[in-house]
Amino acid sequence: MHEPQNMLGERRPDDDLILSVRDLAVHFPLGGGLLGRGKRMLRAVDGVDLKLKRGECLGLVGESGSGKSTVALSILGLLTPTRGRIVLDGQVVRSRQSGDRKALARTVQMVFQDPYASLNPRQTVRRTLEDPLRVHGVTARSEIEDRVATMLRHVGLRPEQSGRYPHEFSGGQRQRIGIARALILNPKIVICDEPVSALDVSIRAQIINLLLELKDTLGLSYIMISHDLGVVEHMSDRVAVMYLGRIVENGHWREIFERPAHPYTQALIAAIPDPLHHAPLATTGGDLPNPLNPPNGCAFSPRCRYAEAVCRSEPGPSLETRADGHAVRCWRADEIGAAGLALSPSP
């Protein structure tokens, strides 16, 4: 049977999944001499499984360097995975040819972190929104103008503002333009990479509410990448927690925030600032290990207050999914999940 050559491959029946990521790995070879001696491997992502349902928001959380953005770039087709399988809207992602990128762009888009850096200062808003339409074959002037005006209204801007340049807008307005650019091709999935972290606190709630409104109005599915668990809790239906290139916990947002079963998830939640004291309740001790030289045993064991001998000698277990859909990768998950933050640390 002839294999399709386009990026989105053959149609595959599925249920209500809009995205499935299976055993995704992205490794980068570093160093080495002329003969390749001394070459080391950076395992930025190492065996990640993710699922996103239609109309759902999946929060992807973890410290900087945990692999969140690498997962996003792989889904967008901007990085070639070392291994793994990505299925978008029932179709298998295949090659990374430039023509196939166009097909992928109509399915998934990204809202970037910094609205100051992600917009071309030499282009008007109109040009910023028109260019993707032309690249994807929309040539009728009336249709282009109508779609640009409609999208600007969707994000809370006026069509007559389209002749302005990015520097003429506030930070929140620029992020609205970035959202409009991501949505102009009518994608089904939007990856939001820290979409409010560069904005003033007073503006963040407006952008979060806008994203939630657009999700319902346009029938979108989101992947919300953030280190701000307050944003993730507010927006997400499910949450996946990443640590050093792997998912360590995954489940419904209420399960994650009320009954976290991995010590890293507990530490992240405990570090959410107390609104009364404007300071974190607790912090995660130590720094993220060097991914070029990961620790023996469980990757989190050097920072884990519950670590025992098995944690320091044996790699963490596979990500085991319970009957309620809550999945966790930890030797002591049952004890920690049952006791919560009250479990006594190991000596």
Side-chain angles (χ1 to χ4, degrees):
M1 180 178 177
H2 176 67
E3 288 284 346
Q5 296 303 307
N6 64 345
M7 179 173 243
L8 294 181
E10 73 273 14
R11 190 76 184 178
R12 294 291 180 90
D14 212 330
D15 48 15
D16 60 346
L17 290 182
I18 188 74
L19 170 68
S20 174
V21 177
R22 180 66 178 169
D23 194 31
L24 179 69
V26 182
H27 300 167
F28 300 102
L30 300 176
L34 293 176
L35 299 179
R37 294 178 182 141
K39 183 178 291 185
R40 296 186 296 173
M41 192 66 68
L42 173 63
R43 300 176 184 272
V45 174
D46 199 21
V48 163
D49 295 342
L50 287 175
K51 291 182 179 180
L52 179 67
K53 296 181 180 179
R54 299 179 192 277
E56 182 181 53
C57 179
L58 172 67
L60 189 59
V61 304
E63 296 167 284
S64 297
S66 61
K68 306 183 303 296
S69 294
T70 303
V71 170
L73 293 174
S74 300
I75 295 171
L76 288 161
L78 300 177
L79 281 177
T80 301
T82 305
R83 69 170 190 271
R85 184 169 179 263
I86 301 174
V87 180
L88 278 167
D89 196 20
Q91 298 176 323
V92 180
V93 174
R94 295 199 180 281
S95 69
R96 297 293 184 267
Q97 299 299 321
S98 59
D100 300 332
R101 280 282 307 125
K102 291 174 64 175
L104 185 58
R106 290 190 291 271
T107 301
V108 57
Q109 283 286 331
M110 176 176 270
V111 175
F112 295 93
Q113 175 179 4
D114 188 351
Y116 299 92
S118 62
L119 298 175
N120 187 336
R122 298 177 181 272
Q123 286 189 347
T124 63
V125 171
R126 181 185 300 113
R127 176 72 182 275
T128 296
L129 300 183
E130 287 179 349
D131 280 356
L133 293 173
R134 291 197 177 94
V135 168
H136 287 265
V138 180
T139 57
R141 186 68 203 171
S142 59
E143 181 181 357
I144 291 175
E145 291 178 352
D146 181 65
R147 290 178 66 169
V148 169
T150 299
M151 190 52 62
L152 287 174
R153 292 190 188 99
H154 272 314
V155 299
L157 296 174
R158 302 189 307 276
E160 54 266 31
Q161 293 177 290
S162 65
R164 299 181 184 178
Y165 290 87
H167 73 270
E168 299 179 72
F169 294 89
S170 67
Q173 289 175 321
R174 292 188 203 189
Q175 193 60 295
R176 290 173 186 267
I177 296 167
I179 293 170
R181 178 180 58 187
L183 299 180
I184 196 68
L185 294 176
N186 298 321
K188 298 179 180 180
I189 302 172
V190 177
I191 300 175
C192 302
D193 190 0
E194 303 278 6
V196 298
S197 64
L199 303 177
D200 292 339
V201 174
S202 60
I203 304 298
R204 292 181 184 181
Q206 297 178 22
I207 298 301
I208 291 170
N209 290 333
L210 172 64
L211 288 169
L212 288 172
E213 179 183 334
L214 290 170
K215 174 176 170 290
D216 293 336
T217 302
L218 303 178
L220 300 169
S221 303
Y222 286 160
I223 296 177
M224 173 61 63
I225 298 174
S226 182
H227 66 274
D228 186 336
L229 269 71
V231 173
V232 170
E233 183 180 15
H234 186 71
M235 289 196 62
S236 301
D237 300 294
R238 289 187 305 110
V239 178
V241 182
M242 283 197 74
Y243 187 79
L244 209 66
R246 291 187 170 187
I247 302 293
V248 296
E249 190 162 5
N250 191 344
H252 187 273
W253 74 268
R254 191 178 297 279
E255 285 288 324
I256 296 296
F257 281 90
E258 295 184 0
R259 287 176 290 277
H262 195 284
Y264 179 59
T265 308
Q266 288 191 352
L268 290 178
I269 293 171
I272 298 175
D274 182 344
L276 297 178
H277 301 93
H278 306 287
L281 299 173
T283 57
T284 306
D287 298 320
L288 195 72
N290 184 349
L292 287 171
N293 186 28
N296 294 326
C298 171
F300 188 61
S301 61
R303 308 171 70 186
C304 181
R305 59 177 182 161
Y306 307 131
E308 297 181 326
V310 65
C311 306
R312 299 183 181 94
S313 61
E314 299 292 334
S318 60
L319 194 67
E320 297 182 2
T321 304
R322 302 168 179 174
D324 60 1
H326 192 163
V328 63
R329 187 194 304 271
C330 177
W331 290 114
R332 303 187 68 191
D334 291 338
E335 301 170 74
I336 294 171
L341 295 174
L343 182 65
S344 297
S346 297

